[in-house]
Amino acid sequence: MNKLFTSLRRKILDGERITDEEALQLFDSRDLLAIGELAALANRRKNGDKVYFNVNRHINYSNICVNRCTFCAFSRGRDEDGGYTMALNDVLARVAEASEAGATEIHMVGGLHPDLPFDFYLEMLAAIKADSPEIHIKAFTAVEIDYFATLAGQSVGEVIEELKEAGLDSMPGGGAEIFRFEVRNRICPEKISGERWLEVIETVHRAGVKTNATMLFGHVENAADRVDHMSRLRQLQDRTGGFQAFIPLAFQPDNTRVPDARGVGGVDALKTLAISRLYLDNFQHIKAYWIMLGLKVAQVSLAFGVNDLDGTVVEEKIGHEAGADSPQDLNKAQLIDLIRKADRLPVERDTLYREVRSY
Ligand code: V47
Ligand code: SF4
């Protein structure tokens, strides 16, 4: 193993890429601290001491969904108890509240609603922009975009142009889960395939819209599935450069239907974040989503290659319906304190990673 770490250190210093085989060896290794130290080195060379955070608000406009992903405790069928769709005024009120609280971003996603027409989404974007033109709208996953294309009877490229026109600024990275068919077919058989997710995102990037990429881990996937997932992302990033951040999402098991899910301990979470930093050499930002990781693991991850924390969030349903025991919101002062106490430099950013203010 020492040989592996020596050779990887040399690769990082020479700016050389690590192979799938090496990533697998890292997943196999029990030397968490050595992996973390390498990831911290790779991160320091890219981002110095800065840790980015943003002031944002998540809005889940509806939880009604035609799919039934087994890991999802958030969605409901059309006639099921607990299903909701926000009225446009409720969405606008949340955006206005966010804007008054100094948010620079709205992160807005929802289920695949069986009845709403594509125009609903265009009108929602346009109304948000009319009310709060200064706020960046990061909305809809590749899964929703594919669904809109079907609803509208249009190509993904056409749908993206209309969404941009209506006010869409960028997209989050959800819906990626694990790309490999054997896993995807077990956890979300109705969802678009991994190949389709990548194809939609490639079209989005080519339309000049930035996105993130996620990976849902800690269910039934193995290390090879994780490396395969990251490999496809690395290849797409080589082609488009359109990804901003990679966000490993730690699986939360409550109220879900994934038999044999392994769950995510702190060691696995830190290892996965660190390996993603080492493997995804063409991603500038590795983001800890503290909602799923918990605050303390998210803070420690800043010594394991992570340089970005999402965000103030304010209201979170997807992880909390599945048992996440983190708070639902952090204020800016708490985020700054968390980063400072990790001995790093807090920098507020906007969605496109322009610096708003250092602390
Ligand atoms: O795609 C669903 C995940 C995602 C569970 O791009 C679960 O900035 C854990 O993508 N346990 C949506 N995860 C959230 C998401 C996201 C979050 C924060 C920032 C960004 C960004 C994107 O949530 C889904 C799915 O992978 N998810 N259920 C669960 N039980
Ligand atoms: Fe629907 Fe998304 Fe939940 Fe799957 S993860 S059931 S597509 S809301």
Side-chain angles (χ1 to χ4, degrees), residues 38-291:
L38 276 184
L41 171 66
N43 180 46
R44 209 173 312 120
R45 288 169 63 84
K46 268 196 157 68
N47 296 301
D49 256 353
K50 290 178 183 174
V51 172
Y52 292 105
F53 69 94
N54 70 347
V55 180
N56 66 352
R57 174 154 190 165
H58 284 220
I59 299 177
N60 299 127
Y61 57 87
S62 174
N63 65 349
I64 297 178
C65 188
V66 299
N67 281 356
R68 274 283 159 276
C69 304
T70 60
F71 57 78
C72 179
F74 161 73
S75 70
R76 299 287 186 281
R78 183 204 266 129
D79 303 314
E80 210 176 313
D81 278 355
Y84 71 85
T85 302
M86 286 179 191
L88 182 55
N89 277 342
D90 288 342
V91 173
L92 293 179
R94 281 172 165 80
V95 177
E97 223 177 79
S99 185
E100 272 157 36
T104 54
E105 169 190 288
I106 291 296
H107 173 139
M108 188 170 70
V109 294
L112 308 181
H113 198 287
D115 306 317
L116 296 171
F118 180 46
D119 279 351
F120 169 88
Y121 304 96
L122 296 174
E123 282 160 19
M124 185 161 66
L125 291 172
I128 293 173
K129 272 289 166 195
D131 253 28
S132 306
E134 70 293 343
I135 213 148
H136 180 111
I137 308 180
K138 180 179 82 177
F140 311 129
T141 67
V143 179
E144 288 164 285
I145 299 295
D146 172 80
Y147 189 64
F148 297 163
T150 310
L151 285 180
Q154 291 176 338
S155 69
V156 167
E158 288 165 339
V159 160
I160 285 297
E161 288 309 322
E162 289 198 42
L163 291 168
K164 267 168 69 179
E165 183 94 350
L168 181 76
D169 294 305
S170 73
M171 280 171 48
E177 322 312 357
I178 285 283
F179 294 137
R180 200 175 250 172
F181 174 80
E182 293 74 8
V183 175
R184 206 170 180 85
N185 196 37
R186 283 180 66 192
I187 59 169
C188 49
E190 297 141 326
K191 189 166 263 176
I192 57 169
S193 67
E195 291 72 24
R196 178 64 175 157
W197 189 96
L198 291 157
E199 186 180 74
V200 169
I201 292 293
E202 181 151 8
T203 309
V204 169
H205 288 174
R206 298 217 184 276
V209 175
K210 297 283 187 194
T211 77
N212 293 328
T214 57
M215 173 175 77
L216 180 67
F217 71 103
H219 40 88
V220 301
E221 88 294 354
N222 60 28
D225 300 321
R226 294 180 189 183
V227 174
D228 173 75
H229 188 89
M230 291 192 291
S231 164
R232 299 199 215 190
L233 290 173
R234 191 166 78 172
Q235 289 172 47
L236 179 51
Q237 179 75 328
D238 277 344
R239 292 202 296 279
T240 67
F243 288 119
Q244 299 205 104
F246 179 65
I247 311 151
L249 296 169
F251 175 59
Q252 311 293 311
D254 290 2
N255 306 315
T256 63
R257 295 162 286 113
V258 191
D260 312 323
R262 254 193 328 278
V264 179
V267 171
D268 188 24
L270 292 173
K271 202 190 226 191
T272 305
L273 285 157
I275 295 172
S276 71
R277 165 59 77 197
L278 291 168
Y279 184 87
L280 293 173
D281 61 335
N282 53 3
F283 278 65
Q284 186 74 26
H285 307 290
I286 303 294
K287 180 151 88 176
Y289 188 42
W290 55 264
I291 293 270

